[in-house]
Amino acid sequence: MPVDLDSIASSSATHPDRLHSLPILILNVHENCNCHCVMCDIWKRPGGTELSLDMLTRMRDSLKTLGVRQVVLTGGEPLLHTRFEDLCGLLRENDLRITLLTSGLLLQKRSESVAAWIDDVIVSLDGPEAVHDSIRGVKRGFDLISSGILAVRRHRSGMPVHARSTVQRRNFNCLRATVAAAKQLHFDSISFLAADVISQAFNRELVWPVERQADIALAPSEVAVLENEIELLIDQCHAEISEHFIAESPEKLRRIARRFREYVGELSPEAPICNAPWVSAVMEIDGSVRPCFFHRKIGNAQHGTLEAAINSPDALHFRQTLDIKQDPICQRCVCSLNYRSPKSIGD
C-alpha cells in the first residue's frame, strides 16, 4: 500500500533538529504535465525539463545512508520522463518501494514499464467521466485511465492502483458519484482531500489572486452542500469506509468541509497532526529540497549530498523554529503525513 497520508499514528518521540534517517523521499521527476487541470498551474510552465539521472546516481549513497524506504515519483507527470525505466532501475538498486503519482493518461502506453518497476500507483480522479474530463481539460481522459489500469494489470495481475480525488468547486457535489466511478474503473481504493488555493505550491510563482481562488474554493452556500454530500457519503457508503475502499474515516471526510469553512472565515484554521518535516522531503528537478510541498526550500542536493541538503543551516533552523500548531502554512494545509517506522507502530 502507498504511504497513508493522515492516518498513521504520529510518533511520540521528540522531533530531532538534525535528521539521520529519511523514510520517505518525494522526487519531482518531470516539470511538464499532459493535463490542463483547472486547479493546477504546472501545465502552464514554459519549456520544462526532467530529473537528471546523473544527479540521482550521485544520490545512491545518500539513499542508503538515510535509510530511505519509499520513493514517491511526482511532477508534473512522471511518466513523461524519457528514461523512466532507467530512473526506476537506479532506485531499485537500493531496494526501495516506488510509488507513482500520475494523471493516468500514459498508463496504457507505459503499462509494461509501470508493471515491471512500480510497487503501487496513485491516479488522480476528479469525478465521474464528464466531470473528470472537464476538470482535467483532456478529452477521453477517463477512458484513458480505464484502459491504462487494464493494461497494467494485464502485465501484472493484482497491481495495486488507487484513486485520489481533489475536492473543489467543480466536483464538490458528486463525491458519491466519484466513489462509484472509482469502482467502475476497478481502483483498489479512493482518497479525498480539499483543493489547495492559497499556497505557492504546484508551480505557482505567486499566491493566486482572490478571483482565481474563488474559482476553485467554495462559497458558504456551497460548503453547506458539500457537508450534506459528505454526510450522505458516510451514510450510504459505510461499507466502503469500514472496508477502507474509501481511505478516510468519517471524521477526516468532515475535515474536508472544515477546510472550506476556514477559507471563508467561518472557522479558525486548525493545523493537522503532521511530522512530514522530520520523516520526509520533497526534492525538485534542480536539486532543491523542501520539507513538504507547501513550505519553502531549505537546501539543495545538486552539487552535494542529500543528507547535507536536509541538514543545511537553513533546514536546521526551519525545524528548530517550526511550531506546526501555530505556523500559518501548516494551519491551512490540506493534507498531512503522520509516519512512524513499522517497528514503532508495533510497539
Side-chain angles (χ1 to χ4, degrees):
M1 289 290 291
V3 171
D4 187 359
L5 300 180
D6 200 26
S7 68
I8 303 174
S10 177
S11 172
S12 59
T14 301
H15 294 313
D17 297 327
R18 179 172 294 276
L19 301 185
H20 299 286
S21 66
L22 191 77
I24 303 161
L25 176 63
I26 302 168
L27 284 180
N28 181 349
V29 301
H30 204 290
E31 287 186 322
N32 286 345
C33 186
N34 49 1
C35 282
H36 293 75
C37 303
V38 297
M39 65 286 192
C40 176
D41 289 343
I42 289 176
W43 58 274
K44 298 179 181 179
R45 187 195 305 268
T49 186
E50 61 186 24
L51 180 68
S52 162
L53 292 188
D54 289 340
M55 186 189 301
L56 189 59
T57 299
R58 293 196 302 271
M59 286 177 52
R60 284 183 298 184
D61 289 342
S62 290
L63 297 176
K64 186 175 296 184
T65 299
L66 291 169
V68 176
R69 299 189 182 100
Q70 180 172 13
V71 171
V72 181
L73 304 182
T74 186
E77 173 52 61
L79 291 177
L80 288 172
H81 200 287
T82 56
R83 299 182 63 185
F84 181 79
E85 295 83 359
D86 294 331
L87 183 150
C88 292
L90 285 170
L91 296 172
R92 275 279 178 251
E93 290 179 8
N94 281 59
D95 195 28
L96 299 171
R97 183 176 188 86
I98 305 176
T99 295
L100 171 67
L101 302 184
T102 176
S103 68
L105 300 182
L106 290 175
L107 277 180
Q108 183 175 18
K109 183 177 181 180
R110 308 297 293 268
S111 59
E112 189 171 357
S113 296
V114 171
W117 293 105
I118 300 299
D119 291 289
D120 50 88
V121 182
I122 302 175
V123 181
S124 298
L125 179 68
D126 294 305
E129 183 172 359
V131 174
H132 175 84
D133 289 355
S134 174
I135 290 174
R136 291 275 144 181
V138 177
K139 293 182 179 179
R140 297 189 59 252
F142 190 90
D143 289 341
L144 287 171
I145 291 175
S146 178
S147 58
I149 293 173
L150 291 174
V152 169
R153 286 178 173 157
R154 277 196 294 269
H155 291 292
R156 180 176 158 195
S157 177
M159 175 75 171
V161 185
H162 308 274
R164 179 169 294 166
S165 185
T166 301
V167 179
Q168 43 113 336
R169 196 168 197 178
R170 288 169 172 79
N171 65 5
F172 70 93
N173 58 352
C174 59
L175 271 59
R176 288 168 295 161
T178 304
V179 171
K183 288 186 172 183
Q184 176 187 341
L185 294 172
H186 302 290
F187 280 106
D188 292 294
S189 71
I190 182 169
S191 61
F192 293 94
L193 76 161
D196 168 61
V197 298
I198 62 171
S199 81
Q200 288 182 255
F202 314 119
N203 196 43
R204 299 171 193 164
E205 293 185 3
L206 299 171
V207 174
W208 276 344
V210 173
E211 296 79 8
R212 182 75 171 91
Q213 294 180 27
D215 192 42
I216 303 301
L218 307 186
S221 61
E222 293 170 325
V223 180
V225 175
L226 171 61
E227 289 168 336
N228 184 62
E229 176 68 14
I230 288 173
E231 293 307 318
L232 289 172
L233 177 69
I234 293 169
D235 179 60
Q236 297 177 14
C237 297
H238 55 86
E240 287 83 354
I241 293 173
S242 63
E243 295 166 3
H244 304 292
F245 181 80
I246 297 174
E248 287 76 25
S249 66
E251 177 187 1
K252 290 168 186 171
L253 289 169
R254 293 181 178 115
R255 195 180 302 164
I256 295 170
R258 178 187 173 88
R259 277 295 179 239
F260 290 109
R261 288 284 181 203
E262 293 170 356
Y263 174 78
V264 298
E266 295 182 350
L267 292 173
S268 298
E270 186 178 280
I273 297 172
C274 179
N275 62 358
W278 293 272
V279 298
S280 68
V282 179
M283 195 184 87
E284 299 180 355
I285 289 169
D286 64 356
S288 298
V289 174
R290 299 177 184 270
C292 69
F293 285 112
F294 304 99
H295 278 286
R296 60 181 173 82
K297 299 172 184 178
I298 56 173
N300 194 297
Q302 185 172 23
H303 302 296
T305 64
L306 180 59
E307 54 263 45
I310 64 172
N311 289 307
S312 70
D314 199 17
L316 294 174
H317 180 262
F318 172 81
R319 287 191 292 270
Q320 287 168 355
T321 58
L322 179 63
D323 182 343
I324 287 178
K325 289 185 178 181
Q326 301 300 322
D327 185 86
I329 292 176
C330 294
Q331 287 177 337
R332 299 282 187 179
C333 187
V334 297
C335 64
S336 67
L337 173 62
N338 297 325
Y339 179 88
R340 282 196 304 175
S341 69
K343 180 179 178 180
S344 65
I345 290 173
D347 288 347

